[in-house]
């Protein structure tokens, strides 16, 4: 009976394709397409001010705010996070005591009493600068509580500390389905480089209207590091504040972002991986402190020793969240963890393997061109060996979808790489392509500033042999466009996934790019565990 259902679904999908509807990767590789630039796309790339009601603190005392939901490594638990108390910024700051307020979540199935209670842990972080005139910051009390739950079930919850009469309103969420080849969340939203501009609000409104069950944010969250500690901001930090003694960051932008996003991410789980705007260097060379403190990560549950890389399951999908800004070399901890994680994946249980990290390997835009080449050289063989199906990246502020590719060569068993680094931030859109006449960057300008290293040399074979850039849109680039937006991923079964790209300038629900990504496990068998 099960095979009959699968046959009917596949027959139905095949009918759509045969009728000239949505294309599939089986129809590819596709001739490269570039959508002409519409200069109105930049739109309202202006940050929401701190006076906007959507970012102001509306709770009092120790009432919870900035409530968010994230997944654990499997379907049987989730994390609830929130903040109590007010941040402080200035010369004389005194961190709050995390022990002041308890970290409690009361919860239960929808329509029943919230008879379950879970207790977690709390912390306070600081952003400190060892230079006179720079304002230091200390956060409110950040709480993380892990709940034990059942799969595919609607829950209601309150968080806070009942002893202070400081509990939140009731919020709701649905858990992920149990892992299995026929079990998937309905809609997964994918967005990158989000920020907190008026374009961001358009992206989030469009994304909310598509009713996602899960959100992947592939790096660059609040863009707090486009601001000095006095709250002065700019589209380009290095252009405007080139003489600062350290790259400053205005941490209240994180709080504004958490307040703005709460209506969505208090009910829809969000899984985040770090981007370059999360580095936020401070005293004693500490980095990624706000990112690592504000979100709950299933690092420990997935065997990772770092918040900068981890994995989790959502139904029949295994997600690998990799770090572009931590060692990715074969001798490093991340690579060794990735090797163990991939070897442990049972494709009979989780047929789909999806990987994300911030800086793309396959982008044809001049901005950040081949910047992550060292990471690709180290890790691509491993991802190919284990049959990663789809890769999502951000960083480049444009949309691009590749043909199936491996080592810059069209390969029916390579993953589809999709760049969605245009969620709405205030930095300029990526417009120029490296393959346009006179636009190929000097190789010396391409290494990543944070990770260092140089691996991007001239191509030795193929259409670009002897050159650093192609002289036309590369064969691996199927579709590219400069616009703000988000994507929706829908797994239809163990072999077909529908990917749709939604542009902010379009009506809600319409697609600017649409394709079925089809797995062929018989033709492209992944390595066995």
């Amino acid at each position: 009976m099960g095979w009959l259902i699968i046959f009917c679904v596949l027959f139905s999908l095949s009918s759509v394709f045969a009728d000239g509807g949505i294309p599939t990767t089986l129809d590819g590789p596709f001739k490269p397409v570039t959508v002409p630039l519409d200069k109105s796309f930049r739109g309202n790339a202006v940050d929401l001010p701190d006076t906007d009601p959507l970012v102001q603190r509306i709770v009092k005392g120790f009432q919870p705010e900035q409530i968010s939901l994230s997944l654990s490594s499997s379907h049987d638990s989730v994390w609830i996070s929130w903040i109590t108390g007010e941040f402080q910024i200035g010369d004389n700051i005194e961190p709050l005591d995390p022990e002041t307020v308890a970290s409690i979540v009361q919860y239960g199935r929808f329509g029943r009493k919230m008879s379950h209670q879970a207790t977690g842990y709390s912390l306070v972080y600081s952003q400190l600068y060892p230079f006179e005139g720079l304002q230091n910051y200390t956060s409110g009390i950040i709480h993380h509580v892990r709940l034990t739950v059942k799969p595919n079930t609607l829950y209601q919850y309150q968080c806070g500390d009942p002893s202070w009469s400081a509990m939140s309103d009731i919020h709701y969420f649905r858990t992920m389905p149990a892992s299995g080849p026929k079990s998937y969340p309905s809609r997964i939203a994918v967005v990158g480089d989000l920020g907190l501009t008026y374009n961001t609000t358009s992206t989030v409104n469009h994304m909310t209207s598509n009713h996602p069950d899960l959100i992947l944010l592939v790096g660059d969250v609040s863009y707090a590091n486009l601001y000095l500690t006095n709250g002065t901001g700019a589209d380009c930090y290095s252009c405007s504040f080139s003489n600062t003694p350290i790259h400053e960051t205005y941490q209240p932008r994180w709080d504004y972002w958490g307040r703005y996003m709460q209506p969505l991410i208090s009910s829809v789980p969000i899984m985040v991986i770090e981007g370059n705007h999360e580095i936020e260097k401070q005293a004693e060379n500490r980095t990624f402190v706000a990112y690592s403190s504000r979100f709950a990560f299933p690092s420990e549950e997935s065997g990772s020793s770092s918040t900068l890389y981890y994995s989790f399951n959502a139904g029949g999908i295994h997600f690998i969240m990799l770090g572009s800004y931590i060692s990715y070399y074969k001798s490093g901890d991340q690579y060794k963890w990735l090797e163990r994680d991939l070897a442990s994946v049972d494709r009979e249980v989780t047929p789909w393997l999806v990987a994300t990290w911030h800086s793309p390997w396959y982008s044809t835009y001049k901005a950040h061109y081949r910047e992550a080449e060292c990471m690709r050289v180290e890790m691509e063989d491993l991802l190919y060996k284990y049959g990663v199906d789809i890769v999502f990246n951000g960083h480049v502020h444009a949309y691009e979808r590749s043909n199936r590719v491996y080592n810059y060569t069209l390969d029916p068993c390579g993953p589809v790489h999709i760049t969605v680094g245009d969620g709405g931030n205030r930095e300029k859109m990526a417009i120029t392509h490296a393959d346009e006449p006179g636009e190929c960057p000097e190789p010396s300008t391409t290494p990543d500033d944070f990770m260092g290293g140089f691996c991007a040399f001239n191509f030795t074979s193929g259409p670009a042999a002897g050159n650093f850039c192609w002289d036309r849109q590369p064969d691996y680039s199927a579709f590219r466009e400069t616009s703000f937006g988000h994507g929706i991923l829908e797994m239809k079964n163990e072999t077909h996934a529908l990917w749709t790209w939604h542009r902010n300038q379009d009506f809600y629900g319409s697609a600017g790019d649409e394709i079925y990504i089809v797995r062929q496990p018989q033709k492209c068998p992944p390595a066995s565990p």
Side-chain angles (χ1 to χ4, degrees):
M1 187 67 180
W3 282 107
L4 178 60
I5 294 173
I6 293 175
F7 174 79
C8 292
V9 171
L10 292 177
F11 179 80
S12 175
L13 292 173
S14 299
S15 298
V16 172
F17 310 147
D19 291 340
I22 302 170
T24 84
T25 50
L26 299 182
D27 302 323
F30 300 96
K31 183 179 178 180
V33 171
T34 299
V35 176
L37 175 67
D38 181 340
K39 294 183 179 179
S40 67
F41 282 1
R42 180 158 171 77
N44 293 309
V46 177
D47 275 337
L48 271 66
D50 56 11
T51 55
D52 192 297
L54 296 174
V55 305
Q56 290 185 325
R57 188 173 190 262
I58 59 174
V59 299
K60 298 184 182 298
F62 285 119
Q63 290 179 317
E65 65 160 352
Q66 304 181 50
I67 303 168
S68 65
L69 170 69
S70 56
L71 301 180
S72 187
S73 59
S74 61
H75 64 265
D76 58 3
S77 59
V78 299
W79 287 92
I80 306 295
S81 304
W82 70 94
I83 294 180
T84 54
E86 298 188 59
F87 68 77
Q88 301 167 58
I89 187 166
D91 297 325
N92 299 308
I93 58 173
E94 191 171 327
L96 297 173
D97 180 1
E99 301 299 320
T100 304
V101 187
S103 307
I104 295 173
V105 176
Q106 297 170 344
Y107 67 106
R109 293 190 187 188
F110 176 70
R112 303 184 185 181
K113 291 183 178 180
M114 292 186 288
S115 55
H116 299 285
Q117 180 168 297
T119 302
Y121 68 94
S122 59
L123 60 99
V124 168
Y125 82 89
S126 296
Q127 187 80 15
L128 305 175
Y129 298 100
F131 299 99
E132 186 177 350
L134 303 191
Q135 300 187 62
N136 293 323
Y137 170 97
T138 183
S139 70
I141 301 170
I142 302 171
H143 306 262
H144 299 300
V145 179
R146 187 179 176 186
L147 313 186
T148 300
V149 294
K150 295 186 179 298
N152 199 26
T153 302
L154 184 61
Y155 282 88
Q156 55 187 355
Y157 73 94
Q158 287 181 292
C159 59
D161 185 346
S163 68
W164 282 81
S165 298
M167 296 296 286
S168 71
D169 293 336
I170 297 175
H171 297 273
Y172 306 88
F173 67 91
R174 181 173 291 279
T175 55
M176 291 293 105
S179 293
K182 298 175 178 60
S183 177
Y184 300 98
S186 296
R187 288 170 162 243
I188 301 165
V190 188
V191 66
D193 303 64
L194 196 56
L196 190 56
T197 69
Y198 291 101
N199 276 317
T200 307
T201 63
S202 177
T203 299
V204 172
N205 288 341
H206 277 75
M207 188 163 59
T208 303
S209 74
N210 278 325
H211 305 293
D213 302 293
L214 171 64
I215 300 167
L216 299 182
L217 176 48
V218 294
D220 286 359
V221 183
S222 73
Y223 285 81
N225 75 336
L226 289 183
Y227 286 78
L228 300 180
T229 62
N230 64 10
T232 302
D235 290 353
C236 172
Y237 184 99
S238 60
C239 306
S240 303
F241 313 127
S242 56
N243 295 321
T244 56
I246 189 173
H247 190 129
E248 299 172 43
T249 172
Y250 187 62
Q251 288 295 295
R253 296 297 306 182
W254 277 102
D255 296 284
Y256 304 161
W257 190 90
R259 291 166 188 162
Y260 171 76
M261 292 294 292
Q262 177 180 304
L264 177 60
I265 63 177
S266 59
S267 296
V268 179
I270 185 168
M271 304 303 288
V272 183
I273 197 66
E274 85 280 359
N276 56 298
H277 284 272
E278 279 72 70
I279 295 171
E280 297 188 312
K281 187 176 179 180
Q282 59 167 296
E284 300 178 350
N285 289 323
R286 298 183 71 202
T287 53
F288 301 104
V289 177
Y291 160 86
S292 297
S293 301
R294 288 176 177 269
F295 298 102
F297 304 93
S299 300
E300 183 178 347
E301 299 100 292
S302 60
S304 167
S305 60
S306 172
T307 60
L308 304 184
Y309 56 89
Y310 59 92
S311 66
F312 66 96
N313 288 343
I317 315 165
H318 185 71
F319 286 97
I320 300 167
M321 313 290 279
L322 297 178
S324 297
Y325 304 99
I326 186 172
S327 173
Y328 36 68
Y329 294 103
K330 291 182 174 66
S331 59
D333 289 343
Q334 179 177 206
Y335 188 95
K336 294 174 182 176
W337 167 84
L338 176 60
E339 203 165 26
R340 293 192 303 270
D341 189 83
L342 288 170
S344 69
V345 177
D346 184 349
R347 301 300 281 272
E348 296 296 320
V349 178
T350 53
W352 287 93
L353 189 53
V354 177
T356 79
W357 58 89
H358 185 59
S359 189
W361 297 347
Y362 290 98
S363 169
T364 62
Y365 284 82
K366 184 176 182 178
H368 308 300
Y369 182 67
R370 300 181 72 183
E371 183 180 286
E373 187 70 1
C374 286
M375 185 182 182
R376 186 194 69 81
V377 169
E378 291 294 310
M379 288 186 162
E380 187 174 28
D381 286 350
L382 189 59
L383 299 186
Y384 183 81
K385 172 184 175 181
Y386 282 97
V388 168
D389 299 299
I390 310 171
V391 171
F392 290 112
N393 304 115
H395 200 39
V396 176
H397 300 164
Y399 171 71
E400 186 164 17
R401 170 176 55 83
S402 80
N403 286 305
R404 289 193 176 275
V405 61
Y406 166 64
N407 195 24
Y408 290 105
T409 303
L410 297 177
D411 189 315
C413 298
V416 174
H417 290 252
I418 299 174
T419 298
V420 290
D422 47 357
N425 66 82
R426 69 180 287 174
E427 291 184 312
K428 294 178 180 179
M429 297 292 294
I431 296 174
T432 307
H433 306 109
D435 48 83
E436 294 174 14
E439 296 297 344
C440 181
E442 285 295 322
S444 61
T445 66
T446 60
D448 173 63
D449 291 336
F450 184 72
M451 292 303 299
F454 180 77
C455 303
F457 302 98
N458 285 354
F459 292 103
T460 57
S461 61
N467 298 310
F468 190 69
C469 302
W470 294 53
D471 60 2
R472 55 181 170 81
Q473 185 173 354
D475 294 340
Y476 63 77
S477 175
F479 185 98
R480 63 188 184 187
E481 176 184 17
T482 298
S483 62
F484 289 110
H486 75 283
I488 294 289
L489 182 66
E490 303 173 70
M491 269 59 183
K492 301 300 183 180
N493 54 44
E494 55 264 57
T495 60
H496 286 69
L498 177 61
W499 167 254
T500 53
W501 168 248
H502 297 272
R503 311 182 311 171
N504 287 1
Q505 69 266 30
D506 296 334
F507 290 112
Y508 291 111
S510 62
D513 181 35
E514 198 166 21
I515 190 168
Y516 277 99
I517 298 172
V518 182
R519 297 181 62 245
Q520 294 181 283
Q522 292 77 24
K523 181 177 180 178
C524 306
S528 301

